[in-house]
Amino acid sequence: YNVALATLHAVDANDERPGTNDLDGPALQMSPGCKTISAAMEDEKVIQQITNAIKATNNNGQVVPSNAAKVQKFTILPRDFSIETGELTPTFKTKRGFIYEKHEKMFDKMY
């Protein structure tokens, strides 16, 4: 089944650097009092908002044409993907193998 890795916008984050543990922008507004990514990873309001977004997407036949394409589970990663941390190439493509190896424990929890 399909799974998703969610990242939240952090202070000083850009495609080259992952930023800090402090939430920024819309991510900061998801749950009052939740100020860090590590707190958001366990915050029920944040998790519910992401769950609702995934459900809405899964129910959109234009985006998800079949049950096989639906996202079944997700997890919030502690840092955004970046060139600095090795998940992105210099042209901003994801390095799937590296991402899997780096976050293998999180994948194992979802499966």
Side-chain angles (χ1 to χ4, degrees), residues 64-111:
V64 181
S66 69
N67 284 336
K70 290 183 177 182
V71 172
Q72 302 296 323
K73 294 186 179 184
F74 75 94
T75 191
I76 301 170
L77 295 180
R79 295 250 184 258
D80 199 358
F81 296 152
S82 70
I83 293 171
E84 186 178 280
T85 55
E87 294 103 348
L88 298 177
T89 68
T91 57
F92 306 113
K93 295 180 182 88
T94 56
K95 297 180 182 178
R96 290 185 192 179
F98 181 82
I99 291 168
Y100 178 78
E101 288 176 18
K102 184 172 183 177
H103 302 290
E104 188 170 2
K105 289 180 182 177
M106 297 193 117
F107 279 105
D108 289 345
K109 286 181 184 179
M110 288 188 285
Y111 285 104

Side-chain angles (χ1 to χ4, degrees), residues 50-65 69-71:
I50 295 170
T51 300
N52 291 343
I54 290 172
K55 284 181 181 178
T57 302
N58 282 343
N59 291 331
N60 183 337
Q62 296 286 331
V63 178
V64 181
K70 290 183 177 182
V71 172

